[in-house]
Amino acid sequence: MKRQWEIDALRGLMLVLMTLTHLPTRLTDPLGQPFGFVSAAEGFVLLSAYVSGLVYSRLAQRQGIGAMRRAFGKRVFKVWLAQAATLAFLFTIIAGLGVRIEQPAVTNLLTYYLAQPRDAFLSGLLLVYEPPLLDILPMYIFFMLLSPWVLGFALRHGWSGVMVLSATLWAGAQFGLSEWVYGIAASHFELSVPYGEMGSFNTFGWQFLWFAGLCIGAGRQAPDAKPLRFPNWMAALAAAVALYCLVWRHFGEHGQAPFGGDAELNLLFDKWRLGPLRLVNLVALGILALRFGPGLIERLPRLHALEAMGSASLPVFCAHLVAVLLTLALYGDNQLARPVWGDALLLAGVFAWLYAVARLALWWEGRATPPVSAAN
């Protein structure tokens, strides 16, 4: 089975958008959530889950559930090593620089670590403490740990029960389920890590996106799988929703906060809980991508740089964090800290670094023409 280069290119695009969002430059705000009230994180998680469902369900069909679970376990260990290495970089080099030059962008990022270094280090390795910017991989690891059991159950009994439970947990996340569970855990296990230091992403909300992607990917492997098609009226409705959100995002008076200072209404589009209107925006974009994407792919040239970064997405993701953290340590989080030409040089250097990491990773793994894999 050949690798789907278009999926790699899309993941590469998500990594580019994440980098542009996290690097403090003049492009941070304009290119944050560029397609409406949806960020690159949603696209990256959904694509990763889709590829996981596609690959690991085929592995289960060919070699059995046990082989599928072992493959998931190897992947989890690899991602945990990447998270541990990134944490070590943050807690040593970046923390040292930040404290030495009194850089608020770093010290504010590491408030808990600087106050409780031993507890923060150990709980960071256990994926309990998740500093800002380093909270995506722990969530990814948790979903990957659950996936072999969920996928094994779904392959035997179908996806209906799984998705009903997943949707229920997502709904609970909108009404404080995570905070309630944290309160119980803190009281019974003497949990010392504050709730606000356990990552920005609400796991109960985002698991719905992961398992939806896993379900879609696994469904593509079914012997009787039919192409995903949508009636014209649905595509037209999706286009109207996507266009409305796009205009609202870029030409509304509040930018990325759709309702300005109204915190309650903004929760409807909340990124961290994966709010309901945010999901509507994401579904609309997904329908348009499936409806018009194949035609665009036939007409557009292949972007090999994006493919390379998407194919080696784990090392490239970690490399982007290294670049962002170094920039924060040296320049702070002021988006206007450099002149325009300085931003241009910074972005050129960072993306050259990411592409070099991608090529090196692919060379190291000997994958000039790799098969489809969820390993990156």
Side-chain angles (χ1 to χ4, degrees):
M1 185 177 179
K2 294 182 179 179
R3 193 174 188 106
Q4 296 182 2
W5 66 266
E6 61 272 21
I7 298 296
D8 283 333
L10 279 173
R11 289 201 290 184
L13 176 62
M14 297 302 110
L15 287 166
V16 168
L17 292 175
M18 280 189 210
T19 304
L20 290 170
T21 300
H22 293 155
L23 272 179
T25 70
R26 288 167 175 79
L27 297 180
T28 300
D29 287 338
L31 294 182
Q33 303 187 151
F35 306 116
F37 296 103
V38 174
S39 71
E42 287 92 329
F44 191 79
V45 169
L46 186 61
L47 287 169
S48 297
Y50 170 82
V51 174
S52 295
L54 192 72
V55 173
Y56 290 115
S57 61
R58 168 162 290 209
L59 180 62
Q61 291 164 3
R62 290 184 172 180
Q63 301 181 31
I65 299 295
M68 179 262 289
R69 287 176 178 163
R70 288 190 294 273
F72 264 117
K74 291 179 181 178
R75 176 58 179 166
V76 166
F77 182 63
K78 183 178 180 180
V79 178
W80 180 84
L81 286 177
Q83 174 71 2
T86 311
L87 278 173
F89 176 75
L90 174 63
F91 291 159
T92 55
I93 295 174
I94 298 301
L97 279 173
V99 172
R100 187 179 184 86
I101 64 178
E102 298 182 353
Q103 176 57 262
V106 171
T107 55
N108 292 340
L109 195 75
L110 292 171
T111 304
Y112 180 66
Y113 172 74
L114 294 175
Q116 303 286 342
R118 180 179 175 275
D119 288 348
F121 178 73
L122 293 176
S123 58
L125 292 179
L126 293 173
L127 309 180
V128 178
Y129 169 47
E130 301 172 15
L133 298 177
L134 275 74
D135 50 1
I136 294 182
L137 290 186
M139 180 177 67
Y140 184 79
I141 290 170
F142 179 67
F143 294 158
M144 291 284 285
L145 285 171
L146 291 177
S147 291
W149 308 100
V150 172
L151 188 55
F153 176 88
L155 289 174
R156 294 190 184 101
H157 305 288
W159 282 94
S160 298
V162 170
M163 294 315 300
V164 167
L165 176 59
S166 181
T168 302
L169 291 174
W170 169 83
Q174 311 309 308
F175 297 97
L177 176 61
S178 294
E179 293 85 346
W180 178 72
V181 170
Y182 172 82
I184 293 177
S187 61
H188 284 79
F189 301 104
E190 298 182 357
L191 191 61
S192 61
V193 180
Y195 179 77
E197 299 288 354
M198 297 180 68
S200 299
F201 292 91
N202 188 305
T203 303
F204 288 108
W206 278 72
Q207 56 77 33
F208 178 72
L209 187 59
W210 175 269
F211 289 117
L214 198 71
C215 172
I216 296 170
R220 297 298 85 206
Q221 287 300 106
D224 58 346
K226 298 179 181 179
L228 292 173
R229 292 194 175 94
F230 302 95
N232 290 334
W233 68 265
M234 188 176 293
L237 179 60
V241 170
L243 180 61
Y244 186 84
C245 290
L246 181 69
V247 173
W248 190 0
R249 155 67 182 94
H250 289 285
F251 299 100
E253 61 179 313
H254 302 300
Q256 296 192 54
F259 297 102
D262 194 323
E264 292 297 321
L265 285 179
N266 281 330
L267 289 177
L268 296 173
F269 279 105
D270 187 61
K271 175 178 179 177
W272 313 119
R273 295 186 183 183
L274 202 65
L277 293 186
R278 194 176 192 89
L279 265 184
V280 170
N281 195 175
L282 179 62
V283 169
L285 291 172
I287 291 173
L288 293 179
L290 291 170
R291 175 66 175 81
F292 300 105
L296 286 175
I297 289 171
E298 293 178 359
R299 293 171 174 80
L300 292 175
R302 290 181 63 170
L303 301 174
H304 295 286
L306 288 181
E307 287 180 50
M309 288 193 287
S311 182
S313 58
L314 178 58
V316 171
F317 178 83
C318 294
H320 116 275
L321 288 178
V322 169
V324 170
L325 292 171
L326 283 172
T327 303
L328 290 174
L330 296 174
Y331 292 103
D333 54 8
N334 183 359
Q335 298 173 12
L336 303 177
R338 294 162 302 278
V340 173
W341 61 265
D343 278 354
L345 286 177
L346 175 64
L347 290 170
V350 167
F351 284 117
W353 155 248
L354 297 185
Y355 181 68
V357 168
R359 298 308 309 177
L360 179 61
L362 294 176
W363 170 81
W364 181 261
E365 295 182 15
R367 298 180 344 181
T369 55
V372 172
S373 169
N376 291 291

